[in-house]
């Protein structure tokens, strides 16, 4: 986390993941260029899975 003031607790992050089914996966792409894709996911206490992987 770059900014401590924007950081949320682990419990709050888990609650956010449990209460939603959509998100944006953002990474550094080629040459550090930001790359983001929307995803649908299922959150379990032990893993996060992309819906596409579960349905295929």
């Amino acid at each position: 986390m770059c900014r401590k003031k924007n950081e949320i607790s682990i419990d709050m992050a888990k609650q956010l993941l449990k209460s939603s089914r959509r998100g944006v996966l953002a990474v550094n792409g080629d040459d550090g260029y930001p790359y983001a894709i929307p995803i649908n996911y299922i959150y379990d206490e032990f893993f996060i899975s992309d819906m596409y992987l579960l349905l295929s």
Side-chain angles (χ1 to χ4, degrees), residues 1-39:
M1 177 65 57
C2 292
R3 297 189 179 156
K4 203 69 160 158
K5 69 177 185 173
N6 293 338
E7 187 174 299
I8 61 175
S9 69
I10 297 294
D11 291 333
M12 197 158 194
K14 286 181 181 181
Q15 184 60 33
L16 179 64
L17 289 170
K18 288 178 187 176
S19 67
S20 186
R21 294 289 174 250
R22 294 177 199 90
V24 177
L25 177 64
V27 296
N28 283 334
D30 296 336
D31 298 322
Y33 189 78
Y35 181 74
I37 56 169
I39 61 169

